[in-house]
Amino acid sequence: MTEQGKPLPFRYKLASRLARLLVGLLLYGASIQFMIASRLGNQPWSVLDQGIARHTGLTVGTIVVIVAGLVLICWIPLRQWPGLGTIANMLIIGPSVDLTARFLPEPHAMLPRISYMVVGVLLCAVATGLYIGAQFGPGPRDGLMTGLARRGLSIRLARTLIEITVVALGFLLGGTFGAGTILFAVAIGPLAQIFLPVFAVRRAPEPIPQPA
């Protein structure tokens, strides 16, 4: 949605928006792996993804894709409709997690681990600004939150209930909950609010009619 509340036409600044979407989703996957490699606490949904991965033998990235697909099914009773950004979110973030895992060294000393944790949170905030700023529709998890909000829950309550549920399930399955999870929960909202205006694609202002 634009600042005026109207969706952008699909072809409006298409190349620029697609670039933002792709880079944002690739960075989002990298941010997940930075936090996983820190071993200091994952992003809320990644606690669940890692927990499931440990019981299935599948990679975390594969689980990210599967869980996103299952969440997308939950859109049906909520009468949510996916956009290009929704499908891209489901298909790109998971492979980006696994690709980053192949090349990212795993730190052992505490200082590099803390650095990875902080980089993961910051990368996620930048990624959020990019892919949401492209305005191609929410990701599966964000859409679940907004869909519940349309059924009467506040956005804050819907997000809190969802993230508490996935963190609890993920922790029981062996996913890593820790300081990074708490830092992410506290910092991601304010940081995303900083980066969203930076990367958002805006509709060009309409010319002011001149008096005859």
Side-chain angles (χ1 to χ4, degrees), residues 171-184:
F171 180 72
L172 291 173
L173 291 170
T176 304
F177 171 85
T181 314
I182 297 170
L183 175 64
F184 182 88

Side-chain angles (χ1 to χ4, degrees), residues 6-190:
K6 297 178 182 179
L8 290 173
F10 182 80
R11 293 183 180 275
Y12 184 78
K13 296 185 177 180
L14 184 60
S16 174
R17 291 166 63 207
L18 286 174
R20 283 172 165 86
L21 178 66
L22 178 60
V23 173
L25 295 178
L26 290 172
L27 289 180
Y28 205 112
S31 78
I32 290 173
Q33 184 55 37
F34 264 95
M35 295 191 70
I36 289 174
S38 78
R39 305 190 307 283
L40 292 173
N42 300 332
Q43 299 174 18
W45 280 94
S46 302
V47 178
L48 177 62
D49 295 330
Q50 186 186 48
I52 296 173
R54 286 180 170 169
H55 288 270
T56 61
L58 299 173
T59 65
V60 172
T62 301
I63 299 299
V64 169
V65 175
I66 293 171
V67 169
L70 294 175
V71 171
L72 197 55
I73 292 173
C74 296
W75 283 31
I76 297 173
L78 297 174
R79 298 183 181 179
Q80 293 273 99
W81 295 99
L84 174 62
T86 313
I87 304 304
N89 184 297
M90 181 177 68
L91 297 178
I92 294 174
I93 291 179
S96 176
V97 174
D98 287 345
L99 182 63
T100 305
R102 291 184 62 183
F103 296 101
L104 186 68
E106 188 168 299
H108 299 286
M110 182 55 69
L111 184 57
R113 291 171 62 194
I114 292 173
S115 299
Y116 271 38
M117 176 183 69
V118 173
V119 167
V121 174
L122 289 173
L123 269 182
C124 186
V126 172
T128 299
L130 282 164
Y131 93 80
I132 292 181
Q135 300 191 50
F136 280 116
R141 299 160 187 83
D142 292 331
L144 178 62
M145 174 185 65
T146 56
L148 289 173
R150 289 196 181 109
R151 294 295 179 269
L153 295 178
S154 69
I155 291 278
R156 180 177 297 179
L157 179 59
R159 178 169 184 166
T160 299
L161 290 175
I162 290 170
E163 293 192 349
I164 287 175
T165 301
V166 299
V167 167
L169 287 174
F171 180 72
L172 291 173
L173 291 170
T176 304
F177 171 85
T181 314
I182 297 170
L183 175 64
F184 182 88
V186 171
I188 193 62

